[in-house]
Each structure stands twice: as C-alpha cells, then as structure tokens.
Amino acid sequence: MEPAVQIDRLTKEFTRRDGTLVKAIDDADLVVEPGEFVVLLGPSGCGKTTLLRTIAGLETPDRGQIRVSGKTVFSSDERVLVTPSQRNLSMMFQSYALWPHMTVRNNVRYPLENRRAGKMSRSQMQEKVEDSLATVGISDLIDQYPGQLSGGQQQRTALARALVDGSRVVLFDEPLSNVDAQVREQLRIELLATQRRLGFTAIFVTHDQAEAMELATRIAVLDQGKVQQFGTPEEIYRSPATEYVATFIGSTNRMAGAWDSSAGVFRTSHGPIRVGDGRPTPKQANLLWRPEDGGLSQEDPGTTNAISGTVQAMLFMGSHTEYIVQCGEDRMRIWSSRPTSLSVDDHVWITLDPECVMVFEDSSDSRPSDEAGSTESAAGRSAEVVS
C-alpha cells in the first residue's frame, strides 16, 4: 500500500527584509502511512505550518518531492506542481475559515458544490452534509450561522466541512487553539474517535505537547525547519534523539558531567552519576532526567546517583505533588504521587535510576533548558521563520 503522504528532501526558503535567506523547511523527509494520526510539533517558527501548507499546495517548495496517496503533487526535478483542489485532501484552518453569510448547511456543502470531478445532485449533497454533521454531533445546528455558534460548534462545523468530501487525508492547522481548555480536551477526544472510526489519515500541527502526546500515533518534532525526530509518543518521550527533543517534550532536570572511564561514572558537581548500559559516554556531557523519575528520601542512601538538596517549595498538582529542591547552584524538580511528611527547608536526597538518565554530548552550540528544567525556554526559542 502506498504511503498516504511521502515527503522527500523538501526545502522551502524565505527571504527576510534585510535580504537574509532563511530555510523554513530544511531538507525534510517524512512518510505518513494510511490511517495514521501524525502530529507536527514544535515552537513558533520551527516550520511546522509551512510544511503543512506545502502538503496542501498553499506554499510552493523550492526543492524536493511530495506524493499524496501515490500521486506526485510536487517535484522540483520533474517540474510537477498540482493545484490544491486536485490533491485529494482537505484542510481545517486555525481560524476555521467559515463563511459568515452562509448557514452551517451551506458552509459544509461548499466543497461539494465546487468539486471539479464527480458532480453530485442536490439530494446527494444533502445526504452527505447531513451524514457529516451527524458524525461531528451538530445536526441540530444545520440552519444556524457561524455568528450564532460557540467556538466549539464552529470547530465542529469546520471539521464536518473537511470530512464531507470523503478525503482520505485531512490536514489540521492548530484547529483547537481558539477554544478554552475544557472544550479543547473534549474536542481532542471527539476528533480522535472520529478519525479512528472513519479511518482517514490526519496530519495535525500544534505547539501543545500534551495535545501531541494524546492524539498522535507518531510525532514529528521540528526545529529550525528540520525534522529532529519522528517516532511514537513513547519513543519521543523516553528515547529522545537529541537534547532539543528531550527538553521540548515534557519537563527535564539537567546537570553537566565529565566521564570517568576508570570508575564507569560521570563526575558531576552533585557527586558520581551512573547511567544505564548502552548509554553514550562522551568526555563532556549533559545528563537529563524527568521529574517523575527521581525519588525523595530524608536519609542518605550512601550510593551513587544520590543528590543532596533542600526543599524550596511544594506545589500540589492534583495527580502529584511537585517538589522544588535546591541542590547547590541547581534547582531540581521532583514529582511524587505518594504523600510525604516533607516540609519547606527540609534536607533531602534525590535518588536516580541509572536507566532513567539521558546522556547528550555537551557541545558549544547546545541550548540548555532553564535552571528549573522546564520546557518554557525551549518553547520560547524560535527562529525568525514562517511557521
């Protein structure tokens, strides 16, 4: 079976006002299988929306090739450029792009009225529209106008319009960003259930890590136009390919280490740290670990992978409590789902499982996370690239 979407060596460049050339997409490769829900994830400026728009035909790449369901829709070598209307896919925009003067019925019917091949009768179009609205659960709103709808209802209308033509590939450009958190969570579940039921291939752009982890069968993490890693949510989270991916997906703690081959440990300012078998052992490394992977104790365990510190704050998060622990000049975050008797200013020991320590070579151009190990700095760093 042909891939639903295949991208090879794709490059898209933009020129800034000062004449500087910027690669919004930089030699990207991606293969999306039929029925997958693939999320393009990254901060503003990473190139994810530009990549989506090139698939849709709304942006023309400079080099490379794009195939949709086995058909070449763009090729710089073969000089192929298929118009958006002939690519056999649908797209749902962030703004929903609903016609304000049209009812829900007419908005959803619009793609059927303007299709170039396989014209339908009015009764056939009506049946398609009703089925599509029933699929997203807003049949009772068929005669309403967009201005009479809530944000969630507008989102469902846009989704119904994207699905009405039976496209096997549907592109989503941050479609849930305009609704509040509670509605967004509900719509995620509904969207995923609809995609599973109908079996279409979804390519979804977001900067929301939780949204990506919840929706995706596979995630493509982008940075400065490059696909840094493409894998399942678990692979991305537990086995990040780069330090950038590790710090952007989820929260991390970080410390510098120097490899001591004679002792088989990394020497850090917090003592010796042992890592799991098979981990790289560069001379200078950044050691990262997730807040949920650290243990807390008030007694010195007397082993490697024990970090001494003082509790600075405790934040109750519902499913867990977050402990902010000052360890020398570093501030560490620990998440614990078990109740403890700890208080602010208590002296504690953080213990680490060697298998949970991620190792990345320390290089001069590495971009460390903030001192608390949060991902805010990673998410905030963006190149001046169209996204």
Side-chain angles (χ1 to χ4, degrees):
M1 184 179 295
E2 295 277 3
V5 175
Q6 183 170 345
I7 295 169
D8 297 306
R9 301 173 290 104
L10 203 69
T11 297
K12 173 63 178 177
E13 298 174 340
F14 290 100
T15 303
R16 294 188 179 130
R17 291 182 179 178
D18 63 1
T20 305
L21 200 63
V22 178
K23 289 184 178 180
I25 309 172
D26 189 359
D27 202 31
D29 294 317
L30 206 64
V31 177
V32 180
E33 299 298 340
E36 278 199 292
F37 200 121
V38 167
V39 173
L40 308 181
L41 177 67
S44 297
C46 71
K48 56 188 184 296
T49 295
T50 301
L51 181 56
L52 192 78
R53 289 174 63 85
T54 61
I55 298 171
L58 302 177
E59 297 280 358
T60 302
D62 298 298
R63 292 178 295 280
Q65 178 177 273
I66 303 172
R67 292 174 62 83
V68 176
S69 301
K71 176 184 176 181
T72 300
V73 297
F74 171 78
S75 174
S76 56
D77 293 340
E78 301 173 16
R79 298 183 180 276
V80 174
L81 179 60
V82 176
T83 62
S85 62
Q86 295 179 313
R87 296 196 178 195
N88 296 320
L89 47 76
S90 299
M91 185 165 180
M92 183 172 166
F93 296 90
Q94 182 177 2
S95 63
Y96 308 142
L98 300 176
W99 298 103
H101 64 287
M102 292 184 181
T103 63
V104 168
R105 181 200 311 273
N106 292 337
N107 265 286
V108 176
R109 188 170 59 194
Y110 186 81
L112 303 179
E113 293 175 332
N114 290 274
R115 65 191 305 181
R116 294 191 176 185
K119 292 288 186 178
M120 295 182 177
S121 67
R122 294 188 65 83
S123 61
Q124 288 175 318
M125 286 192 287
Q126 180 64 17
E127 183 179 355
K128 283 273 192 180
V129 169
E130 291 176 353
D131 287 346
S132 187
L133 291 175
T135 296
V136 299
I138 55 171
S139 297
D140 57 326
L141 301 177
I142 192 168
D143 292 317
Q144 301 295 302
Y145 288 89
Q148 298 172 307
L149 306 178
S150 69
Q153 291 167 341
Q154 291 181 34
Q155 191 266 350
R156 289 184 176 92
T157 302
L159 178 58
R161 184 179 58 188
L163 299 176
V164 72
D165 204 17
S167 299
R168 302 311 301 162
V169 178
V170 183
L171 311 179
F172 298 89
D173 185 11
E174 301 200 56
L176 307 183
S177 61
N178 291 333
V179 295
D180 62 62
Q182 188 171 1
V183 174
R184 185 162 61 246
E185 184 174 353
Q186 180 183 354
L187 291 177
R188 283 180 199 164
I189 297 171
E190 292 180 5
L191 175 59
L192 190 58
T194 300
Q195 188 265 343
R196 294 286 188 269
R197 184 171 66 254
L198 299 182
F200 62 84
T201 303
I203 303 180
F204 188 103
V205 162
T206 185
H207 62 272
D208 187 319
Q209 302 159 31
E211 192 165 82
M213 299 290 280
E214 185 173 331
L215 289 173
T217 53
R218 287 194 292 169
I219 299 172
V221 182
L222 280 80
D223 180 38
Q224 297 183 354
K226 290 183 177 293
V227 178
Q228 298 291 323
Q229 188 170 357
F230 187 36
T232 66
E234 185 174 1
E235 288 169 347
I236 296 289
Y237 190 78
R238 286 299 173 191
S239 303
T242 65
E243 185 175 349
Y244 168 81
V245 174
T247 55
F248 186 77
I249 301 293
S251 299
T252 56
N253 295 291
R254 177 182 178 275
M255 51 191 170
W259 178 244
D260 182 344
S261 57
S262 61
V265 297
F266 282 97
R267 300 294 179 184
T268 77
S269 60
H270 306 291
I273 298 294
R274 195 176 301 277
V275 300
D277 294 338
R279 293 284 196 273
T281 55
K283 290 183 178 180
Q284 299 294 326
N286 293 322
L287 309 180
L288 277 66
W289 47 281
R290 305 286 185 191
E292 66 269 26
D293 292 330
L296 279 178
S297 172
Q298 289 184 282
E299 296 183 3
D300 183 355
T303 62
T304 58
N305 294 41
I307 301 171
S308 174
T310 302
V311 177
Q312 295 289 298
M314 299 183 297
L315 310 174
F316 179 68
M317 309 297 290
S319 61
H320 64 273
T321 299
E322 177 172 325
Y323 296 88
I324 309 298
V325 182
Q326 190 70 41
C327 304
E329 296 183 356
D330 295 321
R331 188 174 296 163
M332 307 292 188
R333 301 167 67 188
I334 305 295
W335 296 346
S336 176
S337 58
R338 295 177 297 179
T340 69
S341 58
L342 293 175
S343 302
V344 173
D345 293 332
D346 280 353
H347 182 265
V348 295
W349 292 86
I350 300 172
T351 55
L352 299 176
D353 182 343
E355 295 295 331
C356 296
V357 181
M358 298 174 281
V359 181
F360 300 99
E361 184 173 6
D362 186 12
S363 58
S364 58
D365 62 349
S366 67
R367 292 170 296 169
S369 59
D370 65 5
E371 66 175 2
S374 76
T375 60
E376 292 177 359
S377 59
R381 288 186 301 261
S382 59
E384 295 177 9
V385 179
V386 174
S387 173

